[in-house]
Each structure stands twice: as structure tokens, then as C-alpha cells.
């Protein structure tokens, strides 16, 4: 049976002259995500990408569809049968192909899209003939145009005709890397993986940076963050993962700065190290999982002080979201269970008893001036390790 997968575009379809660029990025992303599923051909035409396995009978369609549903830039995905462009072929193939599905339902209707306008019969005629063939083959079925159990789709396109019984929703958004690349500050918590998902959805490829404070934080805590990155890759593609040794900087902050300013100063140090690491990849934006008012370091005043430590654009996709909304997405992208594992994070180790919720920038700058942090910042960036997570 000659089956294929059709990827229909979302927003890309609305792009003008540079639509081609977006399509090519999407095509490349699909090829990469499907790379180990066997030989296949990918091509684009009429706002659709066609995935044609070389050996459809041995192809794992379920796995491919699961992966397809996580690729940004796709509005809908269908598994379809390829047939010759003639009514005889369509009417002969549809009952056989759809039998497993139609034998278990009561009602259906046929919808036709005829993008090849040279096809002699118009859409209503194609739907009527195909419907007739299905009624002949399955006498128990009835047509219901308003609320059918199944919608049978016939698409007459350039290369062939396609039959399928509906689409699964795609992940939406823009193809990853069509908007460039950003550096995600990832902790082991719930928020930053969700932030990664949301920015990847808008077409950003991601590198990730994690600050680790051994011996206060353990190897297991680091492993947890790497697992989170692995869980993100079906959505984000490969992630370049940077790990920063942060202990010395944290100890210096603890020693030289007032306790109630600790968190916001630490956040500023993270931003500075991240800014140096971002420069290596010519990255202009950082992504964090901060949400307004969630904790003391995420008040407007604290965010102002944090932003002041970097020239890069700081993207905070969760800024207006409630924890319950964030958790819902964490479940959906399967990071929740990993995020709630109770390993310590470098932030929790040094949490002040009474963090300042309205820090003033000039106090912070004064506190930071009491010690030369610059060499430690540079050293942390230099000693950062990197690996790619697929
Ligand atoms: P999360 O659930 O993502 O840990 P959180 O609500 O615990 O967030 P904070 O601990 O204040 O909030 O961290 C705010 C943001 O700072 C995180 O979302 C993340 O982007 C960044 N961050 C915090 N800790 C680290 C870390 N150890 N390494 C890298 N980034 C971090
Ligand atoms: Mg955290």
C-alpha cells in the first residue's frame, strides 16, 4: 500500500516572497526529526510537505506521526493513501483503505479538495462518486453532512490523488531556527523548560545554559537538567548545552554582598556569564522562565535590575502566565515529572531568608562594587563546558 504523510503549513502559508526560506527550514527540520525511520523522500508543493517512505510497508507511521505532531510550523498532519488521479482508482481504493475505520462507525461524509483544476470532475462530483462507492461497499453506513462520525478526505493534487480520514493537529507556530537562535537559562524547575517550548514555537533554535554549584548541588541535579533538555528536543531539535561552574561566584556574592540582595545579584551574575557565552555563538537573546510576581526575584523592580546587567534581549514567555497554566504545558510536553524531582538547584542553596522584593539598582551596584566580580565572571565563562543534546 502506497501511503505517505502530508504536512500542511500554518502561518508559513501566509508569508510573502520569503515563504520559500521558511519552507526549506521546515523541510530540513522534518528530515532531521525523521532521520532514523528509514529512507524517505521529502518534497514540497502547494503549501504542503510530502513525506514518502521508500518502503511504506515497513515504515513506522505511528512513530512518524507522533514526531510530526511536535514539529513547529505545521498546522495539520495526515497519513494518506496515494492513488492514481482517476475516479475509477479513487472509488476502488477508498473502500479497501478505509475499511478498518468505516466498519466501526455509522455515519460519514466525503470532503474533496481539488487543487489540480484540470481534473475533469469538480469537488462536489468527486465527493458524490466516492461516497457512492463507500455506500456500496458498506451498506450499514449512512451519509451525515452535519455531524458525521468520520470525514473522508479526497485531495486531488499535482502529482496524484490522496485519500485520508482526517488530520491530526500540528504543533503550530514557526519552524525552529526560522527566527534565529537564543540562549535559554535552564534550571531544574518547572518554568524554564516550558519557556523553551514556547520560544521554540515561535521559531527560535535554542542553546541552553545551566549554572551548577558543586558541591552544594549534586551530579543528579545536573543529570536532571540534561534529561529536561532531552525531553525538549522533539520540539526544539538539538540543543547545545552549556554548563557553568558557579560555586566561586556564589560564594563571593555571599561573602561580599548583603544577604537580602543575594538572589537578584546572583541573577545578574548569571546574565553576565550567559552574555559572554552567547557571544560565542553570536546569540542576541536570552530566554528565562520568569513569571511576574512569582517569587521575590520576579517583581518588576527585580526584573529591571536583572535586565540592567545585559545588553541582550531578554525573552520571558511566561511573564503573564499563572503557575497552573505553566504546569498544564509542562504536562503536555512531558517535563513535569522530571521537573518536580526534588534535587537542589544553585538558587535554592543560597536562598536569603528575607529577599528584597523592591531592590533599587543603585544599592545593587554599590553592593557589587565592594568586590571585583569581573575576573570570576570571565573565569566562569571560560570554564563552561559544552555538549550537544539530541
Ligand atoms: P524554574 O522553575 O525555571 O526553576 P523558578 O520559578 O524556580 O523557575 P527562579 O529559580 O527564580 O524561578 O529562576 C528564574 C529563572 O532563572 C529560571 O526560570 C531560569 O530561566 C533561570 N535560572 C534559575 N536558576 C538557574 C540555573 N541554575 N541555571 C540556569 N538558569 C537558572
Ligand atoms: Mg528554579
Amino acid at each position: 500500500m502506497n501511503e505517505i504523510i502530508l504536512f500542511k503549513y500554518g502561518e508559513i502559508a501566509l508569508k510573502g516572497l520569503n515563504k520559500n526560506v521558511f519552507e526549506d527550514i521546515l523541510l530540513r527540520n522534518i528530515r532531521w526529526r525523521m532521520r532514523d525511520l528509514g529512507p524517505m523522500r521529502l518534497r514540497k508543493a502547494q503549501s504542503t510537505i510530502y513525506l514518502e517512505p521508500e518502503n511504506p510497508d515497513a515504515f513506522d507511521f505511528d512513530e512518524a506521526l507522533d514526531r510530526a505532531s511536535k514539529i513547529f510550523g505545521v498546522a495539520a498532519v495526515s497519513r494518506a493513501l496515494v492513488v492514481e488521479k482517476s475516479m475509477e482508482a479513487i472509488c476502488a481504493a477508498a473502500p479497501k483503505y478505509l475499511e478498518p475505520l468505516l466498519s466501526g462507525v455509522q455515519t460519514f461524509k466525503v470532503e474533496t479538495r481539488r487543487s489540480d483544476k484540470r481534473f475533469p470532475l469538480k469537488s462536489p462530483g468527486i465527493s458524490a462518486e466516492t461516497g457512492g462507492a463507500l455506500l456500496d461497499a458498506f451498506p450499514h453506513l449512512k451519509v451525515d453532512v452535519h455531524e458525521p462520525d468520520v470525514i473522508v478526505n479526497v485531495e486531488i493534487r499535482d502529482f496524484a490523488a490522496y485519500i485520508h480520514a482526517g488530520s491530526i493537529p500540528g504543533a503550530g507556530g514557526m519552524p525552529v531556527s526560522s527566527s534565529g537562535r537564543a540562549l535559554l537559562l535552564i534550571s531544574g524547575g518547572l518554568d524554564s523548560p516550558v519557556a523553551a517550548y514556547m520560544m521554540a514555537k515561535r521559531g527560535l533554535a535554542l542553546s541552553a545554559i545551566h549554572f551548577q554549584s558543586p558541591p552544594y548541588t549534586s551530579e543528579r541535579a545536573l543529570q536532571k537538567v540534561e534529561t529536561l533538555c532531552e525531553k525538549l528536543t522533539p520540539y526544539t531539535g538539538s540543543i547545545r548545552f552549556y554548563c557553568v561552574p558557579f560555586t566561586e561566584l556564589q560564594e563571593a556574592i555571599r561573602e561580599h554582598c548583603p544577604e537580602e540582595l543575594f538572589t537578584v545579584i546572583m541573577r545578574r551574575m548569571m546574565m553576565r556569564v550567559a552574555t559572554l557565552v552567547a557571544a560565542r555563538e553570536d546569540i542576541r537573546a536570552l530566554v528565562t522562565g520568569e513569571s511576574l510576581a512569582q517569587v521575590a526575584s520576579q517583581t518588576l523592580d527585580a526584573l529591571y535590575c536583572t535586565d540592567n546587567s545585559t545588553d541582550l534581549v531578554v525573552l520571558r514567555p511566561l511573564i503573564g502566565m499563572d503557575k497552573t497554566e505553566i504546569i498544564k504545558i509542562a504536562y503536555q510536553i512531558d517535563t513535569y515529572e522530571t521537573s518536580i524531582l526534588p534535587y537542589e538547584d544553585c538558587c535554592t542553596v543560597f536562598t536569603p531568608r528575607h529577599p528584597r522584593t523592591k531592590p533599587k539598582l543603585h544599592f545593587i551596584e554599590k553592593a557589587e562594587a565592594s568586590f571585583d566580580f569581573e575576573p570570576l565572571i570571565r573565569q566562569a565563562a571560560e570554564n563552561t563546558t559544552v555538549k550537544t543534546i539530541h
Side-chain angles (χ1 to χ4, degrees):
M1 212 164 34
N2 187 13
E3 280 185 287
I4 66 164
I5 296 179
L6 302 171
F7 297 80
K8 316 241 168 101
Y9 308 160
E11 264 182 74
I12 306 180
L14 308 174
K15 295 284 168 199
L17 290 176
N18 52 1
K19 180 172 156 189
N20 243 320
V21 177
F22 290 93
E23 287 180 316
D24 289 344
I25 294 173
L26 178 58
L27 196 99
R28 209 174 60 212
N29 292 351
I30 295 173
R31 177 170 288 128
W32 174 252
R33 305 288 172 81
M34 304 290 175
R35 65 194 180 282
D36 57 342
L37 293 184
M40 64 186 68
R41 187 169 158 204
L42 282 162
R43 58 178 165 169
K44 52 175 185 173
Q46 298 164 312
S47 290
T48 302
I49 287 176
Y50 298 71
L51 184 162
E52 302 165 340
E54 234 163 65
N55 184 0
D57 293 327
F59 189 73
D60 188 346
F61 276 95
D62 291 336
E63 174 64 23
L65 286 172
D66 182 52
R67 293 186 194 185
S69 69
K70 295 172 181 158
I71 298 176
F72 292 125
V74 177
V77 190
S78 318
R79 173 179 179 170
L81 181 73
V82 185
V83 276
E84 183 198 307
K85 274 198 285 186
S86 74
M87 273 330 292
E88 296 72 49
I90 293 168
C91 290
K96 257 189 257 157
Y97 182 57
L98 299 170
E99 205 224 308
L101 185 68
L102 293 180
S103 53
V105 301
Q106 302 301 317
T107 60
F108 77 106
K109 77 168 171 179
V110 181
E111 282 182 359
T112 300
R113 266 191 56 193
R114 172 174 160 272
S115 35
D116 176 4
K117 301 297 179 207
R118 293 164 311 176
F119 194 77
L121 210 56
K122 295 224 166 89
S123 297
I126 300 169
S127 295
E129 283 204 20
T130 312
L134 292 171
L135 288 170
D136 288 346
F138 307 103
H140 75 281
L141 278 183
K142 286 200 171 60
V143 173
D144 180 345
V145 290
H146 302 295
E147 272 184 67
D149 295 332
V150 168
I151 298 177
V152 172
N153 295 269
V154 178
E155 301 191 23
I156 313 287
R157 288 166 170 265
D158 279 356
F159 315 120
Y162 303 88
I163 299 169
H164 61 89
S167 312
I168 56 168
M174 297 296 293
V176 164
S177 99
S178 65
S179 301
R181 176 175 288 273
L183 182 61
L184 165 77
L185 279 78
I186 187 165
S187 63
L190 273 167
D191 303 324
S192 36
V194 173
Y197 166 83
M198 292 189 61
M199 291 324 303
K201 185 169 184 174
R202 294 313 302 161
L204 279 178
L206 293 172
S207 297
I209 187 167
H210 176 66
F211 295 81
Q212 196 206 7
S213 303
Y216 305 103
T217 62
S218 64
E219 196 55 33
R220 281 190 315 182
L222 174 62
Q223 184 53 51
K224 171 185 173 182
V225 179
E226 291 188 18
T227 304
L228 286 172
C229 287
E230 278 162 26
K231 287 184 173 269
L232 286 169
T233 58
Y235 300 95
T236 61
S238 307
I239 294 177
R240 280 172 72 73
F241 179 71
Y242 294 92
C243 186
V244 186
F246 201 47
T247 315
E248 281 188 55
L249 258 170
Q250 282 195 303
E251 287 175 341
I253 302 169
R254 189 174 54 181
E255 202 166 316
H256 300 283
C257 302
E259 186 187 306
E260 71 271 19
L261 296 179
F262 182 89
T263 309
V264 66
I265 292 178
M266 181 189 63
R267 188 79 68 231
R268 283 162 57 86
M269 297 297 164
M270 283 185 179
M271 294 309 224
R272 286 187 187 143
V273 177
T275 304
L276 292 176
V277 171
R280 292 187 204 169
E281 287 194 65
D282 206 16
I283 287 175
R284 315 260 160 74
L286 304 176
V287 178
T288 80
E290 288 159 316
S291 163
L292 190 63
Q294 199 187 79
V295 287
S297 62
Q298 296 172 25
T299 62
L300 212 50
D301 288 297
L303 294 176
Y304 174 77
C305 294
T306 305
D307 272 6
N308 198 270
S309 62
T310 180
D311 290 336
L312 301 182
V313 177
V314 182
L315 300 170
R316 298 184 170 94
L318 312 188
I319 199 72
M321 287 170 72
D322 291 350
K323 200 76 185 182
T324 47
E325 295 171 300
I326 296 168
I327 286 175
K328 203 166 145 200
I329 299 178
Y331 267 119
Q332 183 200 323
I333 63 174
D334 191 33
T335 53
Y336 181 82
E337 295 297 338
T338 308
S339 286
I340 61 168
L341 292 173
Y343 307 142
E344 63 300 315
D345 181 61
C346 70
C347 303
T348 48
V349 177
F350 293 89
T351 310
R353 281 159 296 178
H354 303 291
R356 194 45 68 82
T357 53
K358 293 190 171 177
K360 293 281 166 281
L361 189 58
H362 60 274
F363 284 133
I364 286 171
E365 285 173 341
K366 207 169 130 203
E368 288 177 2
S370 67
F371 179 75
D372 186 8
F373 286 100
E374 207 49 48
L376 287 183
I377 293 171
R378 255 179 284 123
Q379 187 189 317
E382 271 160 31
N383 293 336
T384 294
T385 57
V386 60
K387 67 174 169 182
T388 303
I389 296 179
H390 295 301

